[in-house]
Amino acid sequence: MLRKVAVGFLACTALYLAFSSYLRRERITEVQLPAVTHRVYLDVEIDGQNIENFRALCTGEKSVGANGKSLHYKGTPFHRIIPGFMIQGGHIGDGKGSESIYGGTFSDENFSVKHTHPGVVAMANSGSDSNGSQFYITTIKTSWLDGEHVVFGRVIQGMDYVYAIEGGAGTYNGKPRKKALITDSGEIPKEKWTEEIQ
């Protein structure tokens, strides 16, 4: 009996290692995005209406929203972290939803960019045309989300930090077991794009 359990455990371990190796290879492919128009401290290349919302929330330049809360990612947590899927953050608001720089939520821009790679940055929503401030960063290819969430960027540096958050704080129900906080955010001036980010 013990031998069968040991053989079963070894077989499961071998399958897990083989699948993990396959997923890591899948993460190497490149995401194709339109031209970069802005960069933010979160090291995401961005472009579009969703992008302007994300960029302004990174800088905090819009001050406060309709609910009186600061329209800034600084100080907000990654509140949903699921290993083998994504990390989600950017909850700004009154606890009942998220608020954009446009006031409340806004429409889906388009679904032309797909969830083809780990490190994709997209808007989290509660259905069609309900984009606010929440976003997520994928840790695997998530093609089942295509057509449901607007993809607007990708992590260009620091994916190791995303994986560290995923592995160190993630749970399968999504509720983080450790606090993961955005301690600062902003926009990197275009003339500094060639400098190494520390």
Side-chain angles (χ1 to χ4, degrees):
M1 178 68 176
L2 185 58
R3 181 176 285 171
K4 288 181 182 178
V5 171
V7 169
F9 176 77
L10 290 174
C12 289
T13 302
L15 284 172
Y16 172 77
L17 292 173
F19 187 70
S20 295
S21 176
Y22 169 76
L23 286 178
R24 294 287 179 200
R25 282 194 303 275
E26 285 292 308
R27 292 176 180 167
I28 295 172
T29 59
E30 188 65 31
V31 175
Q32 299 299 315
L33 292 176
V36 177
T37 58
H38 302 283
R39 279 196 183 180
V40 296
Y41 290 176
L42 297 176
D43 290 344
V44 180
E45 295 184 5
I46 55 179
D47 187 26
Q49 179 187 15
N50 283 281
I51 303 330
E52 179 57 21
N53 181 61
F54 186 76
R55 187 199 64 76
L57 291 170
C58 281
T59 64
E61 66 192 54
K62 300 294 184 183
S63 193
V64 295
N67 65 10
K69 302 284 184 182
S70 175
L71 292 176
H72 198 215
Y73 287 138
K74 183 177 181 175
T76 63
F78 284 98
H79 62 278
R80 187 170 176 232
I81 305 169
I82 303 174
F85 179 30
M86 60 86 197
I87 66 173
Q88 182 175 331
H91 182 72
I92 296 171
D94 58 7
K96 297 177 184 167
S98 65
E99 184 175 3
S100 74
I101 64 168
Y102 309 114
T105 59
F106 61 98
S107 299
D108 294 323
E109 196 168 6
N110 65 62
F111 300 110
S112 60
V113 181
K114 307 298 183 196
H115 295 77
T116 58
H117 185 75
V120 164
V121 184
M123 295 302 296
N125 63 40
S126 58
S128 295
D129 301 324
S130 63
N131 300 293
S133 59
Q134 293 186 38
F135 66 93
Y136 60 87
I137 302 171
T138 63
T139 59
I140 61 168
K141 177 180 176 180
T142 56
S143 55
W144 66 89
L145 298 176
D146 291 344
E148 301 291 327
H149 299 271
V150 176
V151 173
F152 61 89
R154 67 181 172 99
V155 175
I156 57 173
Q157 185 177 356
M159 197 61 193
D160 52 332
Y161 292 106
V162 174
Y163 289 130
I165 292 169
E166 173 195 38
T171 62
Y172 290 102
N173 69 7
K175 184 177 180 179
R177 65 175 172 258
K178 294 180 183 176
K179 192 171 189 175
L181 196 67
I182 299 172
T183 57
D184 201 2
S185 64
E187 184 174 7
I188 301 169
K190 201 168 195 173
E191 61 272 8
K192 294 188 177 188
W193 284 10
T194 56
E195 295 178 15
E196 184 70 22
I197 308 299
Q198 298 301 320

